[in-house]
Amino acid sequence: MNRWEYRTVKYKTGGFLGGKLDEEDFENLLNSYGNDGWELVSCFDTSISQGQTRDVVAIFKRPV
């Protein structure tokens, strides 16, 4: 049976009211975790109001 460890990472968006994602910086973050053996299993955003994104949450796993 496989055993896993998990990591949750919260990425803050920019802009006055949020919602602006620095795609290059976010991709670098994902690649950094990937290089350390983490696999992205889920990614979603949290909203402030009227659909504006406050944070992007990424969940990773890797074998123990």
Side-chain angles (χ1 to χ4, degrees):
M1 179 192 295
N2 291 333
R3 294 184 50 167
W4 305 96
E5 66 177 320
Y6 294 89
R7 172 147 307 160
T8 302
V9 177
K10 189 186 302 184
Y11 181 85
K12 298 267 185 213
T13 58
F16 179 69
L17 295 174
K20 297 206 185 284
L21 179 70
D22 182 335
E23 293 177 32
E24 184 177 343
D25 188 50
F26 187 62
E27 187 174 290
N28 288 337
L29 174 76
L30 296 176
N31 284 329
S32 172
Y33 279 95
N35 288 334
D36 288 338
W38 294 97
E39 177 184 356
L40 180 67
V41 294
S42 183
C43 189
F44 58 92
D45 68 328
T46 61
S47 2
I48 301 172
S49 65
Q50 299 180 9
Q52 291 184 328
T53 298
R54 177 188 332 212
D55 302 309
V56 176
V57 179
I59 301 171
F60 298 88
K61 74 175 185 179
R62 71 178 174 186
V64 176

